[in-house]
Amino acid sequence: TYITLDLDGLDPIYNSASSAVEPFGLDANWVWDVIREVRASGKVNLVGADIMEYAPQNDPVRPFAYDAAGLGWKLMCWLAADVAKRNGEQRPTVWPQAFGNVTL
């Protein structure tokens, strides 16, 4: 499965740094809950993911960049775990560079 997270779907409270702000969108926490539940189900084999529709010129203080980066980090962790599982690796994925001591 390839997941594309379109930030236009988020409510302007969570992403006014979009190229096309739409009212009554999704809650960023709800999107994270869906990602977490789908990953926990074990029924989806993630092969790739991307995040689109972030307009940095509309986000001078960057609070919405942090939301996008956080969701991207969760997708990257999921992707790394699925790649390791497909490769038959038994050890956890560890990224010591610039992230502190992070283990999945």
Side-chain angles (χ1 to χ4, degrees):
T1 302
Y2 189 95
I3 294 177
T4 296
L5 181 59
D6 188 346
L7 296 177
D8 279 344
L10 294 177
D11 192 78
I13 294 171
Y14 302 102
N15 182 30
S16 65
S18 176
S19 59
V21 177
E22 293 289 333
F24 310 111
L26 302 172
D27 181 302
N29 294 320
W30 184 84
V31 172
W32 162 233
D33 287 343
V34 169
I35 291 171
R36 187 181 62 218
E37 291 296 321
V38 170
R39 179 181 178 186
S41 75
K43 296 178 182 178
V44 174
N45 182 13
L46 192 66
V47 298
D50 67 3
I51 297 175
M52 56 185 276
E53 292 298 329
Y54 173 73
Q57 69 273 14
N58 297 338
D59 191 17
V61 186
R62 294 186 186 81
F64 307 112
Y66 298 128
D67 285 341
L71 291 168
W73 172 254
K74 298 302 182 183
L75 288 170
M76 188 171 68
C77 291
W78 180 7
L79 181 60
D82 278 3
V83 167
K85 186 170 40 173
R86 281 193 301 274
N87 291 339
E89 297 177 22
Q90 300 297 319
R91 61 183 174 78
T93 302
V94 178
W95 288 311
Q97 10 4 25
F99 298 117
N101 191 10
V102 177
T103 302
L104 300 178

